[in-house]
Amino acid sequence: MGHMEEKRRLMVEALEERPPEALLSEPLDYIFADHFRQRMLCNLLDAMVSEGARDALLSGQILMFMRLDFGLHVLDEEEDLFPLLLKRALPEDGMEDVIHELCAEHSSDRLDADELCRVLEVPESCGGRWKRLFTRFAANERRHLIVENAIVLPMARIRLQPGDLTLIGQRMAERRGIVPARHWQ
Ligand SMILES: [Fe+2]
Ligand SMILES: [Fe+2]
């Protein structure tokens, strides 16, 4: 297997494999791990654009990730992480503006995400516009991930209390149909 193929295999593997369930006891680490998977998604989309062709198997793998994991992650942030962080952050942390902006990006990116899924499912549905769509989605997503990793998660590590983290982890587990193990709590 060549170097590029090996690299791609690892990226697809990261996309397909959810973080271990036990990591839900450290929900900020789980979210960080999901961000890594999203970076792999961006790399794979860019790779398809530069190859100029859409691999059917890879399209299916990306579609599964978008359908099963991407939406859950946005809910983890919007329903659990962001509201609790807003509650705990101090005014001088400036979290209100940052989180407001991230939520606005979630809703504008959702339109592109829906379009992306349509195009992955029915390749001919988008004509030649798919390259621009894939590139735009990946670029927006990367910027979004930088803000979340560099600003939001570090602030959450400072401000959230142990009980907050337990609650976020429990809710993320419920969202995924996982029964939290007793030793997480
Ligand atoms: Fe995120
Ligand atoms: Fe986000």
Side-chain angles (χ1 to χ4, degrees), residues 10 34 40 49 85-86 95 103 111 133 151 175-176:
L10 291 171
D34 262 349
M40 297 305 107
V49 170
L85 182 54
L86 283 175
M95 278 302 102
C103 289
L111 300 175
L133 172 69
I151 299 174
R175 190 168 286 124
R176 288 163 175 78

Side-chain angles (χ1 to χ4, degrees), residues 31 34-35 38 73-74 77 82 106 141 144-145 148-149:
I31 289 173
D34 262 349
H35 285 166
Q38 290 168 21
H73 175 80
V74 172
E77 292 179 341
F82 292 172
H106 283 166
E141 201 48 42
H144 187 89
L145 288 169
E148 289 182 341
N149 280 347

